[in-house]
Amino acid sequence: TPVVEYRSIRKQYGEFVAIGSVTARVNKGEVVCLIGPSGSGKSTLLRTTNALEQIQGGELLFDGKPLPASKAGIRQVRQRMGMVFQNFELFPHKTVLENITVGPRTVLKVSEQEARKRAVALLDKVGLADKADKYPANLSGGQQQRVAIARALAMEPEVMLFDEPTSALDPETIGEVLNVMKRLAEEGMTMIVVTHEMTFARRVADWVVVFDRGNIVEQGPAAQIFDNP
Ligand code: ADP
Ligand code: ADP
């Protein structure tokens, strides 16, 4: 069953066509990787998914329903999607633990005790149990990105959106982030991943969508995309 369906999505910035007409879907429990040259529209499509970008044409379905137009509706949809950005975007004046508890506390109205319990378990899951009381600036990029993943997971999302999650990292910390993502995939999380990491796409993606200049030029199972001459 599709969690996200893009039906003839079109997106322009003024006269510039960032996405011509894109049709694709993301089934439950599937990892879909969006690949292709820089500027080909991958990130733009990802950002339409949770209405960070508005579409000008076509239809976007989440859980079988069109994205709501109201602010309240969009807020609710965003709560059900976790997003991880290229530059982490952690709260610099909060500790690692507080970065993870703040969403569940303020949005989901979870008790402080429960939020902490969840955060500790998630930090353990991403291999950062010993960093709970540190501030983001004291962590490596790879560690910060793993905190960002834990923070998104704390909201118990139905789908995770990753926008070039390793592009800003030092090469030696890329692997630890990709490993966390791979484990998440193995646990059955539905994921949409914009990435230049072809080895990750080849090994982890169930479905690969190849972009060029605002359109999909090819999509299919990873084996088909990468192994055909
Ligand atoms: P259909 O209307 O037959 O589903 P599509 O062009 O959407 O036509 O899909 C063609 C084939 O690709 C079908 O076998 C479909 O199951 C498969 N497919 C499309 N998108 C995905 C996806 N995200 N994951 C797995 N299989 C997919
Ligand atoms: P990719 O993720 O494949 O690198 P993007 O989706 O970021 O590509 O960008 C697609 C195109 O849209 C690029 O040419 C980019 O310059 C343009 N673009 C992206 N965001 C904006 C914006 N806010 N205003 C104008 N043009 C934009």
Side-chain angles (χ1 to χ4, degrees), residues 13-207:
Y13 295 108
E15 295 289 287
F16 178 75
V17 179
I19 297 179
S21 177
V22 158
T23 296
R25 65 171 185 269
V26 182
N27 295 327
K28 192 171 163 60
E30 211 176 52
V31 177
V32 173
C33 282
L34 311 183
I35 67 171
S38 287
S40 58
K42 309 179 296 292
S43 172
T44 299
L45 185 74
L46 188 78
R47 293 164 61 86
T48 65
T49 315
N50 60 356
L52 289 176
E53 299 286 357
Q54 296 232 296
I55 55 175
Q56 271 95 41
E59 252 192 323
L60 207 162
L61 305 186
F62 172 52
D63 200 14
K65 293 177 281 291
L67 283 193
S70 70
K71 275 196 168 157
I74 288 172
R75 207 179 312 121
Q76 280 177 352
V77 161
R78 284 198 187 136
Q79 274 176 36
R80 299 166 62 195
M81 301 188 191
M83 181 132 182
V84 174
F85 301 90
Q86 191 172 337
N87 291 307
F88 333 130
E89 317 222 352
L90 297 173
F91 305 115
H93 302 299
K94 291 186 191 299
T95 65
V96 163
L97 191 89
E98 289 163 354
N99 263 278
I100 301 172
T101 56
V102 64
R105 288 286 288 133
T106 58
V107 180
L108 304 180
K109 311 293 182 197
V110 165
S111 75
E112 178 69 26
Q113 192 189 16
E114 175 58 30
R116 282 175 157 270
K117 205 173 110 190
R118 237 189 244 186
V120 167
L122 285 166
L123 278 174
D124 193 46
K125 184 189 176 86
V126 301
L128 294 172
D130 56 335
K131 303 293 185 201
D133 299 323
K134 302 277 191 231
Y135 285 87
N138 298 118
L139 304 185
S140 73
Q143 290 170 336
Q144 290 186 58
Q145 193 61 298
R146 284 185 281 152
V147 174
I149 294 171
R151 179 179 62 176
L153 291 174
M155 298 295 283
E156 303 190 324
E158 288 155 62
V159 54
M160 286 281 288
L161 313 180
F162 292 88
D163 194 356
E164 298 202 28
T166 59
S167 293
L169 299 179
D170 293 326
E172 63 270 22
T173 70
I174 290 176
E176 66 197 39
V177 172
L178 294 178
N179 276 333
V180 166
M181 292 169 63
K182 182 162 179 284
R183 234 179 306 133
L184 206 54
E186 286 162 359
E187 289 170 11
M189 177 61 75
T190 308
M191 297 165 52
I192 312 176
V193 184
V194 174
T195 188
H196 293 286
E197 295 290 338
M198 291 305 123
T199 306
F200 176 86
R202 174 186 236 283
R203 289 200 188 140
V204 181
D206 297 289
W207 193 258

